[in-house]
Amino acid sequence: MRTPFIAGNWKMNKTAEEAAAFANEIKDALNDIEGVDIAFCPPFLAIPAVAEAVAGTRVGVGAQNMYFEESGAYTGEIAPNMITPFCQYVILGHSERRAYFGETDEGVNKKIKAALAHGLTPIVCVGESLEQNEAGETQEFVSGQVRAAFDGLSGEEMAKCVIAYEPIWAIGTGKTATVEQAGGIIGGAVRATVAGMFGSETAEKVRIQYGGSVKPENAADFMAHPDIDGALVGGAALKTSFVDLVRNSV
Ligand code: PGA
């Protein structure tokens, strides 16, 4: 069985000092919640302080991005081995990175391979825009993103990855997909595509999160769907009520 996984994507919020204080405030309550994996994904400069704060608890740490090269002349980038001392996870291909920072399917594929080579668990984001959704293109588009992201992996590598299905129109908008919509895409497009590429045994091992305006009030509904294995949480991960969100998910 797949262990549910709730990750907080803090995006570009909290200084190192604020991040450590927040992590310290909620880590013990989170540590007491069993049956779920939990991670904080703070901005790069807050990662060491947050890793120190959660050391010895069940809360893991993830980065929000990284580059695929080992080192070199890549101004402004962060290499895998710069985050591995602190992180177990790395979010890759978030829709904000795709929309504002030129992230491509090809780049995401290279980053996934680099993350796995460094023992990091990638949390790979896929999801359609409102226009694609309204045009009925969701299944096809999301399947294409999955195929491009995981191209060339072994089944063993695939099973280690986490996928976050985040419809772009539901991110930060307060609008959520219905549980049926989200579960339908996750089962029908995301897991089915993984099964087509790697076989159903591997696909059954992959944890697939829903993301997009997940809150303490709706987390349980999403988690009740058999194909939804957790959540990638933005805004609601910045508040102490994130503890309630995680508690309501198990
Ligand atoms: P949200 O963000 O929970 O604020 O909608 C989710 C995400 O972007 O991962």
Side-chain angles (χ1 to χ4, degrees), residues 26-41:
I26 63 171
K27 66 176 182 183
D28 290 332
L30 289 172
N31 192 45
D32 288 341
I33 308 171
E34 284 174 12
V36 58
D37 290 343
I38 306 161
F40 293 151
C41 303

Side-chain angles (χ1 to χ4, degrees), residues 7-11 91 94-96 125 164 166-176 210-215 231-238 245:
N9 173 11
W10 296 1
K11 307 193 179 183
I91 299 171
H94 189 279
S95 61
E96 285 151 17
C125 302
E166 302 199 301
I168 296 169
W169 47 271
I171 295 178
T173 57
K175 276 196 240 171
T176 60
Y210 168 75
S213 301
V214 178
K215 299 184 262 302
L232 184 56
V233 184
L238 296 168
L245 190 160

Side-chain angles (χ1 to χ4, degrees), residues 74-121:
Y74 303 103
T75 302
E77 292 296 321
I78 302 274
N81 70 1
M82 295 172 185
I83 62 172
T84 48
F86 312 103
C87 295
Q88 302 80 47
Y89 304 98
V90 58
I91 299 171
L92 295 174
H94 189 279
S95 61
E96 285 151 17
R97 295 219 53 87
R98 294 179 192 253
Y100 308 142
F101 304 103
E103 190 87 72
T104 62
D105 280 338
E106 194 190 358
V108 172
N109 177 254
K110 288 182 179 165
K111 290 179 179 191
I112 293 168
K113 289 172 179 163
L116 290 164
H118 284 269
L120 291 158
T121 297

